[in-house]
Amino acid sequence: MVAVDSLGAGSNQIIGFAVLIDGAVSPDYLTKYSALNELCFIGDVVVSSAYSGQGIATKLLECCIEKSKEKRATVVLIERHEENLASAGMMRKAGFKVVETFYDPTKRSAGSRKTSILECRVG
């Protein structure tokens, strides 16, 4: 999914994107939460700092959820650092709920060093 800002004069600028991954090629550790053939995984959401706070990331998540429905997924998973309040807010607004938080020192080197897995049920 890509968010584009029209700059006029026929020019467009990418201001954000989200990576939606089919369950079949998602990380194996997600099988703890759902069968891979029943899920989609949002690998990343990025929005230009010039556009932060405008709800663009939430809209990108909502687009990923809609695309997941088209793919007949029953659940969409996403992860974040436990302490990332900006991510927590956008994920909550898009309908995600925390299913697990765990100590994850190989991925997280700062703060609580915990990862939160969130899900949104679809379909």
Side-chain angles (χ1 to χ4, degrees):
M1 308 299 127
V2 177
V4 177
D5 184 25
S6 178
L7 299 173
S11 178
N12 291 319
Q13 175 184 4
I14 295 174
I15 59 171
F17 68 90
V19 178
L20 181 66
I21 303 169
D22 285 339
V25 292
S26 292
D28 288 338
Y29 67 88
L30 296 176
T31 58
K32 178 178 182 180
Y33 309 101
S34 179
L36 292 181
N37 65 337
E38 297 175 358
L39 70 84
C40 284
F41 176 64
I42 300 173
D44 211 345
V45 178
V46 179
V47 175
S48 167
S49 61
Y51 292 85
S52 65
Q54 297 182 30
I56 295 166
T58 300
K59 293 286 186 207
L60 286 166
L61 289 175
E62 291 168 347
C63 287
C64 287
I65 292 166
E66 288 304 310
K67 190 65 164 176
S68 296
K69 288 178 185 177
E70 292 174 19
K71 295 175 173 287
R72 302 196 188 280
T74 59
V75 66
V76 181
L77 298 174
I78 192 168
E79 64 180 42
R80 64 173 170 80
H81 189 288
E82 173 196 38
E83 296 174 322
N84 187 330
L85 298 180
S87 290
M90 73 170 181
M91 292 173 187
R92 184 182 62 256
K93 289 175 188 173
F96 286 88
K97 295 181 182 352
V98 174
V99 292
E100 183 177 20
T101 298
F102 57 92
Y103 186 62
D104 195 4
T106 56
K107 187 180 288 186
R108 313 286 176 195
S109 61
S112 70
R113 300 179 75 180
K114 293 182 179 179
T115 292
S116 291
I117 304 289
L118 298 90
E119 72 175 11
C120 180
R121 293 280 168 183
V122 295

